[in-house]
Amino acid sequence: MSNDEIFAAAYREHYWAVSRYVARRLDGRMSEVEEVVAEVFTVAWRRRADLPAVPLPWLYGVARNCLANAVRGYGRRRRLVDRMGNDDAAHGRHIVDSPDTEAPGAWVHEALARLSPADQEVLRLTAWEELGVEELAVALGCGNRAASMRLHRARRRLRAEIDRTSPATAPKERSHG
């Protein structure tokens, strides 16, 4: 199979997984999702000779880098719009949530949001993308032992955040394993 055919197969097989990965991290900003996914597969095309036999974790690693670039660009654009006074707040358009609009399990997402971006990413790769430790290592660009340790520490920090701030309805049991 040629490099072009290997790339085409990886694209067909993993396009939607990469799209979901990016969409979850860009909170559904679809125009940006499409741009980032296009960039991921542009990089994969350029580096098609380097595609591993199991390309998805490698594609997630490429997507992480593309997302970092996109987020930096989004931040620059947001600051520019703010300086220009052209944001919603400047025009008095505020949306206020009612007290009962909290989604079920939102406290878990809030605890996750209080973790470092690196911890958040490790947990998302294992929970949302369902990567094992070896695949996590590929996506993070590190060894298996380092990936395992990062996951262990991130889980421990998330548990501490949940324990610190969990509502009365949160499960209190703990599995030690």
Side-chain angles (χ1 to χ4, degrees):
M1 196 183 274
S2 74
N3 287 340
D4 293 356
E5 292 168 327
I6 291 169
F7 169 82
Y11 179 85
R12 281 190 307 274
E13 187 175 344
H14 301 299
Y15 177 84
W16 291 111
V18 172
S19 293
R20 286 188 302 271
Y21 172 91
V22 172
R24 287 180 187 124
R25 285 150 181 84
L26 290 178
D27 200 26
R29 297 189 307 261
M30 287 315 294
S31 62
E32 290 179 61
V33 170
E34 292 168 0
E35 287 178 30
V36 172
V37 172
E39 181 62 23
V40 169
F41 284 102
T42 299
V43 170
W45 171 256
R46 281 191 221 119
R47 296 188 53 201
R48 62 192 177 277
D50 299 331
L51 277 172
V54 179
L56 187 57
W58 183 84
L59 289 168
Y60 286 153
V62 172
R64 287 181 66 232
N65 294 331
C66 292
L67 276 164
N69 292 337
V71 167
R72 280 192 297 274
Y74 179 76
R76 285 191 296 269
R77 285 190 301 278
R78 185 75 233 152
R79 288 188 298 278
L80 176 62
V81 168
D82 288 346
R83 280 196 307 271
M84 292 172 52
N86 196 21
D87 63 348
D88 287 345
H91 295 285
R93 291 188 297 262
H94 297 281
I95 297 173
V96 178
D97 290 332
S98 68
D100 60 345
T101 59
E102 185 174 326
W107 56 272
V108 175
H109 294 284
E110 290 171 7
L112 182 65
R114 286 190 294 274
L115 298 178
S116 71
D119 282 350
Q120 290 178 38
E121 184 62 6
V122 166
L123 293 168
R124 288 176 178 148
L125 282 166
T126 56
W128 290 354
E129 278 35 270
E130 301 177 355
L131 296 187
V133 172
E134 289 179 10
E135 296 166 317
L136 179 64
V138 172
L140 296 176
C142 65
N144 290 352
R145 291 182 70 169
S148 179
M149 186 56 70
R150 287 183 192 181
L151 177 59
H152 172 74
R153 289 177 179 159
R155 284 177 174 161
R156 189 180 67 224
R157 286 189 277 264
L158 179 62
R159 169 51 66 190
E161 276 300 316
I162 289 171
D163 287 348
R164 188 174 70 76
T165 62
S166 65
T169 59
K172 292 291 184 186
E173 67 273 358
R174 212 184 268 214
S175 69
H176 295 284

